[in-house]
Amino acid sequence: MKNWSIIAEGFHKEDVPKHESIYSLGNGAMGMRANFEEDYTGNTLQGSYIGGVYYPDKTKVGWWKNGYPEYFAKVLNAPSWIGLHIKINGEVLDLNTCTEVKNFRRELNMKEGWYERQFTATLPNQQEIQVKALRLLSLRHDELGALRYEITPLSSEVTVEIESYLDSGVKNNDANWDELFWNTLDVGVVQDYYAYITAETKKTRFKVHTFMHNTLRLLGDQPHFFSPSKKNKKDNYVGLQYEVSVPAGKTIRLDKFGGYIISKGEEFWVSPNGLTMYEREKYIGYTLTERLNAFDFLLKMQKKDWAAIWELSDIEIEGDDKAQQAIRFNIFQLNQTYSGKHAHLNIGPKGFTGEKYGGSTYWDTEAYCLPFYMATKGAEVARNLLMYRYNQLDKAIENAKKLGFTGGAALYPMVTMNGEECHNEWEITFEEIHRNGAIAFAIYNYVRYTGDEAYIKDYGLEVLVAIARFWAQRASFSAEKQKYVILGVTGPNEYENNVNNNFYTNYIAQWCLRYAADMVEKYEIEKQWIHPQEIILWRKIAQNIYFPYSEKYGVYLQQDGFLDKDLKPVSAIPAEERPLNQHWSWDRILRSPYIKQADTLQGFYFFRNHFTHEELRKHYEFYEPFTVHESSLSPCVHSVLAAALDKKEEAYALYLRTSRLDLDDYNKEVHEGLHITSMAGTWLSIVEGFGGMHVVDNQLHFKPCLPAHWHSLSFKVIFRGQLHVCKFVN
Ligand code: BGC
C-alpha cells in the first residue's frame, strides 16, 4: 500500500480490463484507458477519448414513445496514437501468447502524473525480453501525450521490429448500430518521424488531426537515432516501421509523442512544409538534442504541474494508509477528468475511462462534483461548470416544450452532451425531473460558497426562473388533498419508478420555487420578462406542496405508499443475491423497499440546516437499513450524514466503500471504467463528513468527527478567494 502510487504486481489475464480502467490517464481534455501499447489478443476494452468530441448515435428502443430523444450523444472512441506492433526475431510480442511473463508491474504515480508498466516476457520463440513503458498525458498541453517504450533483449542479440502507428479504424463497443463513427480524410507521413491521420466524426463533423512523432535510439551509444525502414499507409492507418539489431543486455528506446488537434469548422494551423503547430514548439524541436530531451522535459513539466495541483487539493490522513491512498486516487482521477479550463467541457460519470454513460453530463456534476472544484480550484473553475448549463438554457427550454411545457419553462436533460436530452428510457428521461432541482441548488451552493453574487444577476437568475416555471407547471393541485402534488416521477432512487410525491423531488421543487422568487425579488422584479403574478403563484405552490409523512415513524416517506411495502432490512437479503440489480428481476426490485441510492437522505444532505439533529437521526436510522448503495453515488452521502450524527464507525465503513469502490472493485464493474463523479462524493465524505465543513451565514464552519484510529486529517480549501489550511488531530 503506497500513499502516492497504485501498484499492481503479477500478470493475470483476467485482471487486464479492470486494470485498464484503474490505470487510466487523462488531462482534462482527453484520456485513455491503460491499454497495452503492443498487440494483445486477450480480453481488453480499447479506449481513447477526446473531451467534447461526440457522436449522436441513433436511439434504439423496443417501443418508441413520443418525447424520446432521437439520439444518444456519446463520446467516441478516438483514433489511437499509442499503438506499437512489435516483433522479436519475427515473432509478435503479445502477452496473451507468451510462454512466460515475469516481473509484471504497473504503477500509477499520482504525485507526478505518469503511468509505468514493466515486464519480462518469454516469447514462443524462446526469446526473453524486458520491457518498460512510461506514459503521460500532458497537463500543460491539452493535446499532447507521450510514451517512452524500452525493450532489452535478455537471451541473445535479436532483431527488433517496431511499427509505431496511428489507427482511425476504431469503434465504440456500445455503438447502437455497429457503425463506424469516423470518416478518415487524410493519412500522411510528413517527415521520417512524423505522421498523422485527419479524421472527421460523422454527423457532428469534428475534425481531429491525430499525430505522432517518434524518436528511436539505442541507449548507451552516442546519440544516434534510427530512421524507419518502411512507412505503411492504409485507409485508416499509418505506421512507421523500424528494424534494429539489438545486442543482449542493450536497450532500445522509443520516445513517442502523440495526441489530437481538434477543430470544428475552421482549418487547422498548418505550416508551409505541412507540419502542425507542434513542430514549432520547442519541446518537440527539430534539433537532435531537442528531440532526445523532449520526453524528459515534458516529464519534468508534468511533475511541476501535478505538484501545483496537489499543493491545493491534497488531503493527508495520518494513521490509515488505506484511506490515504484511496482519497488521493479519487482526487487524482477528478483532476485527470476536468481541469476547468473550458466551459464547453463537463464531467462524465466515467470520465475518460470507459464508454458507459457515453461521457455525457448528468446531475452528478451539480449534486456531487461542484463542491470539490469550488474548494480546490476556486471560483473560476466552478463558474465554468455553471456556465455549461447557462449556455444550454435554450435547449432546456426546448426540451420542456417538447414535453408540453410552455412560457419559458426549462427541463434540463438527465443526460446530455450539447444541451439536448439523450437518455431514452422513459422513467429517466421523463420522470427523473429532480435533476432540475440540483441545477438550481448548484447556483445557490456556488454563490453561498464563493460569494460571487454577480453570477445570479448576470446568469443564474435566468436559469432559476426557467426552472421555477417548470415546477409551477409540473405540480398539480389535488382537490382531495387540497395540496399541490407532483405525480409520476422517479426520485434519485431508480429502484422505484412512476411514484407519486417523492419527498426529495417535492422538497427540492418547493425550495426552487422559493429561491427563484427570492432572487427575482432581490434583483430583477422590475424586469419585463417576469410577471409579478408568477412570483405569487410560485410562492403559493411552495407553501401548499404536499409531503408524505408517517406519524408512526416520525419520518417523511420516500413517496406515497412506501409503508405498504414488505419492510425487511437489507440485512435480511442473502449475500449471494447482492447486488440486487444482477440477481433480481426488475419487477421484484420495484416492489421491494430497497433503495438504490440516497433519496430522502439526499434532501437531508442538501438542506441539512432545515432540519434538527433529531430529525436527521430519525431519517438516517429509518432509511439506511433499506439502502443497498447500488449506485456509487450513495455511500458518500450516507457517510457525510453518519459523521454529522457522530456515528464514526458507520461513517468510516461507508467512506471506505465510496473511496475504494474502484480500487477494490466492490460492485464488480470496474472493467467498464471508473466511477469518476462518485469520487467527488468521496471528497465530500472527508471534507464535509469527517471535517464537518459547512457554510452558515456566509461563514465556514467545521465540526470534525475523525475515525478513532486516525491520528490527524489535513486539507486545504479555498473559500471566498482565501485559502484555508485545516488540520484536525484526534
Ligand atoms: C444513478 C444516477 C446517476 C448515474 C450516473 C445512475 O446509476 O442512479 O443517479 O446520475 O448513475 O452516475
Side-chain angles (χ1 to χ4, degrees):
M1 187 74 61
K2 288 266 193 294
N3 284 343
W4 280 108
S5 283
I6 307 296
I7 295 173
E9 283 171 347
F11 181 61
H12 307 289
K13 291 181 188 173
E14 65 282 7
D15 285 344
V16 170
K18 178 165 123 183
H19 285 162
E20 286 175 339
S21 301
I22 292 179
Y23 294 83
S24 292
L25 289 180
N27 68 354
M30 63 169 163
M32 49 168 53
R33 291 170 57 80
N35 301 129
F36 297 163
E37 291 84 2
E38 73 279 355
D39 294 324
Y40 184 63
T41 50
N43 197 8
T44 159
L45 174 62
Q46 297 287 306
S48 297
Y49 312 96
I50 308 172
V53 174
Y54 64 92
Y55 178 81
D57 202 12
K58 196 161 168 34
T59 302
K60 195 175 195 177
V61 286
W63 198 280
W64 188 267
K65 293 187 170 56
N66 274 347
Y68 270 166
E70 277 164 37
Y71 63 84
F72 194 121
K74 43 184 72 153
V75 163
L76 304 180
N77 200 0
S80 161
W81 61 264
I82 205 77
L84 307 174
H85 296 307
I86 294 172
K87 286 186 187 164
I88 308 292
N89 284 352
E91 180 91 53
V92 174
L93 170 61
D94 169 3
L95 290 186
N96 196 37
T97 59
C98 282
T99 55
E100 193 179 8
V101 180
K102 289 191 299 199
N103 309 324
F104 185 91
R105 183 180 190 272
R106 296 189 194 242
E107 175 174 358
L108 182 66
N109 187 305
M110 302 182 287
K111 189 168 193 173
E112 300 180 347
W114 48 260
Y115 158 59
E116 186 185 69
R117 184 173 58 106
Q118 318 185 14
F119 57 86
T120 305
T122 309
L123 281 78
N125 64 6
Q126 295 310 310
Q127 288 301 328
E128 193 181 38
I129 57 161
Q130 190 181 305
V131 169
K132 198 160 137 183
L134 179 68
R135 253 194 228 179
L136 61 93
L137 293 185
S138 167
L139 279 187
R140 188 156 305 193
H141 304 285
D142 280 358
E143 302 88 346
L144 188 66
L147 160 71
R148 170 166 281 177
Y149 197 94
E150 295 174 347
I151 305 172
T152 312
L154 299 179
S155 335
S156 57
E157 172 152 350
V158 293
T159 303
V160 177
E161 268 173 63
I162 303 182
E163 178 157 331
S164 174
Y165 66 87
L166 305 174
D167 178 10
S168 58
V170 287
K171 273 192 171 180
N172 268 46
N173 257 26
D174 69 347
N176 283 345
W177 306 90
D178 207 25
E179 286 171 281
L180 278 179
F181 295 153
W182 295 94
N183 277 328
T184 299
L185 305 177
D186 187 15
V187 176
V189 179
V190 178
Q191 296 275 350
D192 259 7
Y193 51 84
Y194 187 93
Y196 66 89
I197 295 182
T198 304
E200 189 176 58
T201 55
K202 293 184 183 165
K203 295 190 199 165
T204 38
R205 312 201 67 182
F206 288 98
K207 244 193 213 174
V208 172
H209 180 93
T210 307
F211 63 91
M212 67 169 173
H213 175 297
N214 300 278
T215 310
L216 186 75
R217 62 175 150 159
L218 256 189
L219 292 189
D221 286 353
Q222 286 300 320
H224 170 74
F225 65 107
F226 299 93
S227 296
S229 47
K230 241 174 148 183
K231 297 164 189 169
N232 292 323
K233 269 173 47 171
K234 296 182 210 155
D235 289 348
N236 300 317
Y237 178 97
V238 59
L240 298 178
Q241 198 188 95
Y242 303 83
E243 196 174 314
V244 180
S245 193
V246 186
K250 289 265 179 202
T251 300
I252 184 103
R253 170 189 283 176
L254 174 75
D255 282 350
K256 179 174 186 178
F257 298 88
Y260 310 103
I261 305 169
I262 304 137
S263 101
K264 178 124 199 206
E266 75 276 15
E267 283 310 303
F268 299 114
W269 186 90
V270 179
S271 75
N273 61 356
L275 303 178
T276 71
M277 58 206 207
Y278 280 106
E279 299 301 308
R280 293 191 310 165
E281 300 274 349
K282 279 295 164 222
Y283 58 86
I284 310 178
Y286 290 108
T287 69
L288 181 60
T289 329
E290 277 170 343
R291 287 181 59 194
L292 292 180
N293 293 335
F295 188 93
D296 297 306
F297 183 65
L298 204 62
L299 187 60
K300 207 163 112 192
M301 291 298 123
Q302 186 77 347
K303 292 178 184 175
K304 213 164 140 190
D305 294 342
W306 271 101
I309 289 183
W310 287 115
E311 175 59 26
L312 293 177
S313 60
D314 189 26
I315 292 181
E316 268 186 276
I317 300 170
E318 283 180 329
D320 190 340
D321 286 348
K322 218 173 170 187
Q324 173 68 79
Q325 184 198 49
I327 187 64
R328 288 208 171 116
F329 180 66
N330 286 260
I331 295 170
F332 179 72
Q333 293 297 349
L334 287 165
N335 276 293
Q336 292 211 106
T337 308
Y338 185 72
S339 66
K341 288 189 215 164
H342 313 284
H344 75 285
L345 296 184
N346 209 278
I347 307 152
K350 297 233 174 272
F352 299 117
T353 68
E355 293 177 10
K356 199 168 173 198
Y357 300 117
S360 305
T361 306
Y362 284 64
W363 74 304
D364 306 26
T365 295
E366 285 76 15
Y368 294 82
C369 302
L370 183 74
F372 168 80
Y373 292 100
M374 237 158 30
T376 65
K377 302 209 174 292
E380 327 71 59
V381 167
R383 199 177 221 257
N384 271 345
L385 286 175
L386 299 193
M387 287 305 291
Y388 177 90
R389 298 292 191 177
Y390 174 79
N391 292 334
Q392 296 182 351
L393 177 60
D394 289 347
K395 291 262 168 59
I397 292 175
E398 229 175 82
N399 183 41
K401 219 172 182 176
K402 278 189 207 154
L403 306 185
F405 297 89
T406 55
L411 176 60
Y412 275 93
M414 185 66 184
V415 181
T416 194
M417 194 64 78
N418 64 358
E420 288 168 58
E421 176 63 81
C422 52
H423 205 289
N424 54 35
E425 284 170 48
W426 61 269
E427 63 275 27
I428 291 175
T429 310
F430 307 138
E431 294 200 336
E432 261 199 76
I433 52 176
H434 66 81
R435 72 239 187 189
N436 245 12
I439 289 163
F441 183 79
I443 296 173
Y444 161 76
N445 204 9
Y446 167 82
V447 173
R448 135 180 106 160
Y449 192 88
T450 62
D452 178 11
E453 301 245 347
Y455 184 81
I456 302 244
K457 274 187 277 172
D458 297 343
Y459 305 103
L461 202 56
E462 283 176 59
V463 172
L464 294 175
V465 166
I467 287 177
R469 284 177 173 156
F470 170 81
W471 289 122
Q473 292 172 45
R474 187 60 170 77
S476 51
F477 189 72
S478 156
E480 166 75 18
K481 291 191 165 69
Q482 287 294 301
K483 288 271 182 192
Y484 284 91
V485 291
I486 302 183
L487 307 178
V489 303
T490 293
N493 168 20
E494 292 173 342
Y495 288 179
E496 300 276 357
N497 296 154
N498 209 244
V499 300
N500 294 335
N501 296 311
N502 167 260
F503 166 80
Y504 173 76
T505 306
N506 287 18
Y507 198 86
I508 206 156
Q510 178 192 53
W511 174 85
C512 284
L513 289 163
R514 285 187 175 144
Y515 183 57
D518 291 349
M519 291 303 108
V520 168
E521 283 171 1
K522 188 165 172 191
Y523 295 114
E524 295 281 29
I525 192 70
E526 76 283 1
K527 276 229 169 160
Q528 295 295 310
W529 52 279
I530 307 160
H531 197 280
Q533 284 305 321
E534 277 195 278
I535 312 294
I536 294 169
L537 177 67
W538 297 350
R539 291 209 187 275
K540 183 172 149 203
I541 296 172
Q543 187 59 30
N544 293 294
I545 211 151
Y546 169 77
F547 296 107
Y549 185 78
S550 159
E551 293 293 344
K552 179 172 166 199
Y553 295 101
V555 295
Y556 289 106
L557 293 176
Q558 185 179 266
Q559 74 250 2
D560 284 353
F562 186 77
L563 291 182
D564 295 335
K565 290 170 180 276
D566 182 7
L567 293 176
K568 288 204 190 82
V570 174
S571 53
I573 308 170
E576 61 279 11
E577 294 180 21
R578 305 276 308 276
L580 296 185
N581 62 19
Q582 290 171 22
H583 295 92
W584 284 17
S585 71
W586 193 241
D587 164 67
R588 191 171 171 199
I589 289 178
L590 289 179
R591 284 183 285 114
S592 81
Y594 302 121
I595 302 171
K596 179 184 178 191
Q597 69 198 89
D599 190 297
T600 304
L601 292 181
Q602 182 74 36
F604 274 72
Y605 164 68
F606 276 168
F607 302 108
R608 229 186 313 157
N609 54 351
H610 294 191
F611 301 98
T612 63
H613 190 80
E614 185 51 19
E615 283 170 324
L616 173 61
R617 191 190 58 74
K618 271 195 185 157
H619 284 80
Y620 179 87
E621 286 174 5
F622 183 79
Y623 285 108
E624 166 58 23
F626 299 122
T627 309
V628 283
H629 299 296
E630 289 181 13
S631 158
S632 62
L633 298 175
S634 189
C636 53
V637 173
H638 282 234
S639 177
V640 172
L641 298 180
L645 292 167
D646 222 20
K647 294 175 183 284
K648 289 188 186 178
E649 276 171 32
E650 250 177 276
Y652 180 70
L654 289 158
Y655 164 74
L656 278 191
R657 185 159 173 170
T658 170
S659 66
R660 300 197 62 90
L661 178 87
D662 291 320
L663 287 174
D664 297 343
D665 201 8
Y666 278 110
N667 287 353
K668 304 276 165 265
E669 57 187 20
V670 78
H671 55 277
E672 296 174 342
L674 304 175
H675 295 82
I676 300 293
T677 49
S678 80
M679 294 185 175
T682 301
W683 182 89
L684 294 173
S685 61
I686 292 265
V687 174
E688 297 186 4
F690 302 126
M693 181 176 97
H694 55 288
V695 183
V696 185
D697 296 336
N698 298 330
Q699 282 183 331
L700 210 48
H701 289 244
F702 295 91
K703 183 180 165 281
C705 162
L706 268 52
H709 63 289
W710 288 11
H711 307 321
S712 70
L713 165 68
S714 331
F715 55 80
K716 292 179 186 157
V717 289
I718 304 167
F719 177 71
R720 301 194 167 209
Q722 286 199 330
L723 187 66
H724 296 260
V725 183
C726 314
K727 180 158 184 162
F728 306 102
V729 181
N730 238 343

